[in-house]
């Protein structure tokens, strides 16, 4: 395992993969990640999870603001392979093509479906029953390189964005560790992606986080859980912005879509088409998360039989 590897990634998803490589004694000679960001109400400058792992193992860590213009330090490491995983910037072709073994990317979908920056969220939002990890050669076009290895996992009914991130991060780590020995030996196939089958999962906008309850209940449930727990799903009723933190659903005929029905058992009921959403935990704007009963005993009673707004403004 003497091949020199540069790892490029940013979030916890990628940090788990990097840690796996290091624990397996791969020769990671440098780490590239996004610059430190201000986090929280106090705006504390915070390193990315990948940077934290790199520093933990005393590796050189680079945080270029614009990698298209600032990558000489990476070339100076003379990597044999670059591995990317949720890095967050477009990488110049000069860098992709430089290493002996070129550059490979670990992506959170079964390509060519869900190319882009939010594949896990959109696969849940769109009601997919399975997803997976694809290892591909990097190319100039986003997530369009030849597929080298995939692994599929099921999306369970109760899975959220957060649970699938953890599951898929572990799959990405394990798949990469299984694949690399064969990769370095040249014992693999490369399968071109079928462009006509490509779909895209672009980064979520604020409008994408807004929940319209005047839809089929399964679509609403998938939309909410695809955003939990980050960035979160919200809607507005009586000019009050509410974020939904823990939900389930029940199918039912004869409902009043987008109407808040109040407290039933231990959940808040919001009617949709063909059923209703059960909200167990909710976060009013400017307040802490609270359980359904606490919310209802406060402002919730005044909202019974009112309608949630359908569209984001």
């Amino acid at each position: 395992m003497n091949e020199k590897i540069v790892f490029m990634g940013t979030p916890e998803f990628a940090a788990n993969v990097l840690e796996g490589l290091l624990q397996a004694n791969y020769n990671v000679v440098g780490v590239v990640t996004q610059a430190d960001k201000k986090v929280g109400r106090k705006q504390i400058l915070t390193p990315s999870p990948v940077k934290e792992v790199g520093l933990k193992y005393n590796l050189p860590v680079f945080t270029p603001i614009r990698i298209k213009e600032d990558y000489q330090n990476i070339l100076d490491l003379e990597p044999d392979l670059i591995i990317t995983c949720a890095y967050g910037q477009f990488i110049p072709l000069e860098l992709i093509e430089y290493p002996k073994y070129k550059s490979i990317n670990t992506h959170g979908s079964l390509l060519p479906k869900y190319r882009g920056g939010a594949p896990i969220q959109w696969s849940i939002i769109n009601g997919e029953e399975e997803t997976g990890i694809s290892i591909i050669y990097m190319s100039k076009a986003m997530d369009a390189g030849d597929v080298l290895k995939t692994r599929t996992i099921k999306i369970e009914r109760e899975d959220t964005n957060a649970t699938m991130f953890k599951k898929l991060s572990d799959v990405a780590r394990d798949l990469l560790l299984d694949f690399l020995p064969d990769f370095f030996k040249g014992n693999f196939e490369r399968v071109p992606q079928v462009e006509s089958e490509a779909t895209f999962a672009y980064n979520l906008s604020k409008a994408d986080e807004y929940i319209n309850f005047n839809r089929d209940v399964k679509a609403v449930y998938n939309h909410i859980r695809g955003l939990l727990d980050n960035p979160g799903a919200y809607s507005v009723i009586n000019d009050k912005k509410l974020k939904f933190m823990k939900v389930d659903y029940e199918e039912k005929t004869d409902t009043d879509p987008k109407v808040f029905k109040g407290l039933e058992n231990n959940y808040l009921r919001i009617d949709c088409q063909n059923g209703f959403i059960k909200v167990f935990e909710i976060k009013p704007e400017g307040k802490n998360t609270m359980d359904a009963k606490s919310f209802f005993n406060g402002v919730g009673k005044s909202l019974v039989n009112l309608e949630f707004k359908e569209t984001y403004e």
Side-chain angles (χ1 to χ4, degrees):
M1 300 181 188
N2 293 322
E3 294 86 358
K4 294 189 291 184
I5 296 172
V6 165
F7 185 88
M8 304 177 67
T10 298
E12 189 65 41
F13 184 98
N16 184 42
V17 176
L18 173 59
E19 187 101 39
L21 287 170
L22 292 166
Q23 291 180 351
N25 295 317
Y26 278 94
N27 184 23
V28 179
V29 296
V31 171
V32 184
T33 188
Q34 297 280 53
D36 297 1
K37 291 186 176 181
K38 294 179 180 180
V39 175
R41 292 182 179 179
K42 295 184 178 180
Q43 293 290 281
I44 298 173
L45 201 60
T46 304
S48 76
V50 163
K51 181 177 180 178
E52 290 181 341
V53 173
L55 295 176
K56 172 183 171 182
Y57 285 85
N58 297 313
L59 296 173
V61 176
F62 304 105
T63 57
I65 302 300
R66 290 179 55 83
I67 196 168
K68 289 182 179 181
E69 303 167 358
D70 183 13
Y71 56 85
Q72 186 59 49
N73 287 339
I74 304 167
L75 297 181
D76 290 343
L77 295 173
E78 298 184 344
D80 296 308
L81 173 68
I82 291 174
I83 298 174
T84 68
C85 181
Y87 171 54
Q89 291 191 50
F90 283 103
I91 300 169
L93 196 60
E94 293 86 351
L95 189 54
I96 290 173
E97 295 290 337
Y98 176 85
K100 173 183 177 181
Y101 295 97
K102 308 304 180 185
S103 302
I104 61 175
N105 178 43
T106 305
H107 184 75
S109 78
L110 298 173
L111 291 167
K113 294 183 70 174
Y114 296 108
R115 296 176 180 175
I120 300 174
Q121 294 96 323
W122 284 112
S123 65
I124 299 172
I125 291 170
N126 290 339
E128 300 286 355
E129 295 183 353
E130 64 179 22
T131 185
I133 293 293
S134 300
I135 298 175
I136 63 171
Y137 268 124
M138 294 192 69
S139 64
K140 186 176 182 180
M142 180 180 62
D143 301 326
D146 291 351
V147 177
L148 307 176
K149 196 79 172 179
T150 63
R151 187 166 292 172
T152 301
I153 66 169
K154 185 178 180 181
I155 300 176
E156 304 288 351
R157 183 187 189 279
E158 67 276 8
D159 274 321
T160 66
N161 176 31
T163 64
M164 288 307 299
F165 258 77
K166 179 63 174 70
K167 289 180 181 180
L168 283 168
S169 178
D170 289 345
V171 172
R173 176 198 62 205
D174 296 345
L175 181 62
L176 188 62
L177 293 177
D178 288 347
F179 174 67
L180 281 178
D182 287 335
F183 175 73
F184 286 126
K185 294 175 185 175
N187 184 24
F188 62 92
E189 295 183 9
R190 51 190 301 171
V191 180
Q193 295 186 41
V194 180
E195 284 298 315
S196 62
E197 297 178 2
T199 62
F200 295 89
Y202 294 112
N203 290 333
L204 294 157
S205 68
K206 197 66 179 176
D208 293 323
E209 299 168 22
Y210 193 84
I211 303 301
N212 172 13
F213 290 98
N214 193 14
R215 295 180 292 156
D216 181 80
V217 68
K218 287 184 180 179
V220 175
Y221 174 69
N222 289 335
H223 194 170
I224 295 173
R225 70 190 181 114
L227 299 168
L228 297 179
D229 55 356
N230 183 37
Y234 77 98
S235 192
V236 173
I237 184 172
N238 198 29
D239 295 326
K240 293 178 172 58
K241 181 179 177 180
L242 303 175
K243 206 167 188 178
F244 309 103
M245 310 302 292
K246 183 178 180 182
V247 302
D248 199 352
Y249 77 96
E250 184 174 320
E251 293 180 282
K252 188 179 185 297
T253 58
D254 190 27
T255 55
D256 299 318
K258 69 181 181 179
V259 174
F260 177 65
K261 293 294 188 178
L263 184 71
E264 294 187 4
N265 299 318
N266 60 336
Y267 60 82
L268 304 167
R269 172 174 163 172
I270 304 172
D271 274 15
C272 305
Q273 296 173 15
N274 308 311
F276 58 90
I277 294 293
K278 301 177 178 181
V279 181
F280 296 96
E281 293 181 3
I282 195 165
K283 185 181 186 302
E285 187 172 16
K287 296 185 179 180
N288 294 327
T289 298
M290 59 183 69
D291 61 46
K293 187 175 181 180
S294 297
F295 173 80
F296 187 75
N297 288 338
V299 71
K301 289 181 180 179
S302 66
L303 304 177
V304 174
N305 292 327
L306 298 183
E307 294 184 351
F308 280 88
K309 289 185 178 179
E310 288 190 38
T311 57
Y312 167 80
E313 297 177 359

